[in-house]
Short mmCIF file of all heavy atoms in Angstrom, two decimals:
data_model
loop_
_atom_site.label_atom_id
_atom_site.label_comp_id
_atom_site.label_asym_id
_atom_site.label_seq_id
_atom_site.Cartn_x
_atom_site.Cartn_y
_atom_site.Cartn_z
N PHE X 84 -188.93 -201.61 -141.56
CA PHE X 84 -189.74 -201.78 -142.77
C PHE X 84 -190.86 -202.79 -142.48
O PHE X 84 -190.83 -203.93 -142.97
CB PHE X 84 -188.87 -202.26 -143.93
CG PHE X 84 -187.71 -201.36 -144.24
CD1 PHE X 84 -186.45 -201.65 -143.73
CD2 PHE X 84 -187.89 -200.21 -144.99
CE1 PHE X 84 -185.38 -200.81 -143.99
CE2 PHE X 84 -186.82 -199.37 -145.26
CZ PHE X 84 -185.56 -199.67 -144.76
N PRO X 85 -191.84 -202.39 -141.68
CA PRO X 85 -192.92 -203.31 -141.28
C PRO X 85 -193.74 -203.85 -142.44
O PRO X 85 -194.41 -204.87 -142.30
CB PRO X 85 -193.78 -202.46 -140.34
CG PRO X 85 -193.45 -201.04 -140.68
CD PRO X 85 -192.01 -201.06 -141.09
N ASN X 86 -193.69 -203.15 -143.58
CA ASN X 86 -194.44 -203.65 -144.75
C ASN X 86 -193.82 -204.92 -145.34
O ASN X 86 -194.40 -205.55 -146.22
CB ASN X 86 -194.51 -202.57 -145.83
CG ASN X 86 -193.14 -202.16 -146.33
OD1 ASN X 86 -192.20 -202.02 -145.55
ND2 ASN X 86 -193.01 -201.96 -147.62
N GLN X 87 -192.65 -205.31 -144.84
CA GLN X 87 -192.01 -206.56 -145.25
C GLN X 87 -191.66 -207.39 -144.01
O GLN X 87 -190.68 -208.14 -144.01
CB GLN X 87 -190.76 -206.29 -146.07
CG GLN X 87 -191.01 -205.90 -147.52
CD GLN X 87 -191.61 -207.05 -148.31
OE1 GLN X 87 -192.77 -207.01 -148.70
NE2 GLN X 87 -190.83 -208.09 -148.56
N ALA X 88 -192.47 -207.27 -142.95
CA ALA X 88 -192.18 -207.91 -141.68
C ALA X 88 -192.14 -209.43 -141.78
O ALA X 88 -191.35 -210.08 -141.08
CB ALA X 88 -193.21 -207.48 -140.63
N VAL X 89 -192.97 -210.01 -142.63
CA VAL X 89 -193.02 -211.47 -142.76
C VAL X 89 -191.67 -212.02 -143.18
O VAL X 89 -191.17 -213.02 -142.62
CB VAL X 89 -194.11 -211.89 -143.77
CG1 VAL X 89 -193.97 -213.37 -144.12
CG2 VAL X 89 -195.49 -211.62 -143.21
N VAL X 90 -191.04 -211.38 -144.15
CA VAL X 90 -189.73 -211.83 -144.64
C VAL X 90 -188.68 -211.73 -143.54
O VAL X 90 -187.90 -212.66 -143.30
CB VAL X 90 -189.30 -211.01 -145.86
CG1 VAL X 90 -187.88 -211.40 -146.30
CG2 VAL X 90 -190.27 -211.21 -147.01
N GLY X 91 -188.68 -210.59 -142.85
CA GLY X 91 -187.72 -210.39 -141.77
C GLY X 91 -187.88 -211.40 -140.66
O GLY X 91 -186.89 -211.93 -140.12
N LEU X 92 -189.12 -211.70 -140.30
CA LEU X 92 -189.39 -212.68 -139.24
C LEU X 92 -188.97 -214.08 -139.65
O LEU X 92 -188.33 -214.81 -138.88
CB LEU X 92 -190.87 -212.66 -138.87
CG LEU X 92 -191.37 -211.42 -138.13
CD1 LEU X 92 -192.89 -211.44 -138.04
CD2 LEU X 92 -190.76 -211.37 -136.72
N LEU X 93 -189.33 -214.46 -140.88
CA LEU X 93 -189.00 -215.81 -141.35
C LEU X 93 -187.49 -216.04 -141.45
O LEU X 93 -186.96 -217.02 -140.92
CB LEU X 93 -189.64 -216.06 -142.71
CG LEU X 93 -191.13 -216.40 -142.72
CD1 LEU X 93 -191.64 -216.50 -144.16
CD2 LEU X 93 -191.40 -217.72 -142.00
N LEU X 94 -186.81 -215.12 -142.12
CA LEU X 94 -185.37 -215.30 -142.32
C LEU X 94 -184.59 -215.04 -141.03
O LEU X 94 -183.60 -215.73 -140.76
CB LEU X 94 -184.87 -214.38 -143.44
CG LEU X 94 -185.42 -214.73 -144.83
CD1 LEU X 94 -184.85 -213.79 -145.88
CD2 LEU X 94 -185.11 -216.17 -145.19
N GLY X 95 -185.06 -214.07 -140.23
CA GLY X 95 -184.42 -213.85 -138.94
C GLY X 95 -184.54 -215.08 -138.06
O GLY X 95 -183.58 -215.49 -137.40
N GLY X 96 -185.73 -215.70 -138.07
CA GLY X 96 -185.93 -216.90 -137.28
C GLY X 96 -185.10 -218.07 -137.79
O GLY X 96 -184.48 -218.81 -137.01
#
Side-chain angles (χ1 to χ4, degrees):
F84 304 97
N86 61 319
Q87 282 294 110
V89 168
V90 175
L92 290 170
L93 281 175
L94 294 182

